[in-house]
Amino acid sequence: MRLVLLGPPGAGKGTQAQALAARWGIPQVASGDLLRAAVHEDSELGREAVGYMDRGQLVPDKLVLKMIAERLRKKDARDGFILDGFPRNVMQAEALAAGLERAGRKLDKVVAVMLPDEEVVKRISGRRTCRNCAAMYHVIFEPPAKAGVCDKCGEELYQREDDAEETVRERIKVYHATTRPLLDHYRRLGLLAQVDGEGRIDEVEKRILAAVTGDHDYD
Ligand SMILES: [Zn+2]
């Protein structure tokens, strides 16, 4: 199974990718993780990426593509993979398809986990992080025993700048602007399945499985 998972921030894409990867015994390939690993390992690509990040710039497509291509060439990805957080735009999608084609492969499916904007705002702006141990909470879905205090270490919880409502609304705007053309692209190729991202994690997983396998026994 060669699958791309798309979805707005807060849609639980990473969690779903992880569960599906474990179920099928194939790797979850998350561009953010690859980037962090490259930086951590101080690889050539990692050092190049740090150069952009230090200047406050986005890591260019070309570099991200190189990391993805390198990862997909590894042995464990030979029989399949789940791409999470990539591609983000049509240009990346086309480069991905070209790279796969060179290896005699192609994508099987693209699943977009759909979530209303207001639900995204609610999910993300409610997140709280511990200043000390980085444990994560949610004021509605996973509140700490005592408001504003970490259950694990007793330190103060705060809202990351990325999670503030205004920032989230901006992230959603950017997400739609780049993702709409991407969804159209994959729809034209007959690869796209859209799945409702509301509800419990296991419910969403069942919907994804049904969409991917065409088998509704998961209902
Ligand atoms: Zn803590």
Side-chain angles (χ1 to χ4, degrees), residues 52 67 96 129 167 213:
Y52 290 99
M67 282 184 207
L96 172 67
T129 309
T167 317
T213 59

Side-chain angles (χ1 to χ4, degrees), residues 130-135 137 150-157:
C130 175
R131 278 193 197 284
N132 178 47
C133 72
Y137 300 85
C150 180
D151 290 344
K152 296 195 176 94
C153 73
E155 288 299 318
E156 185 196 13
L157 303 182

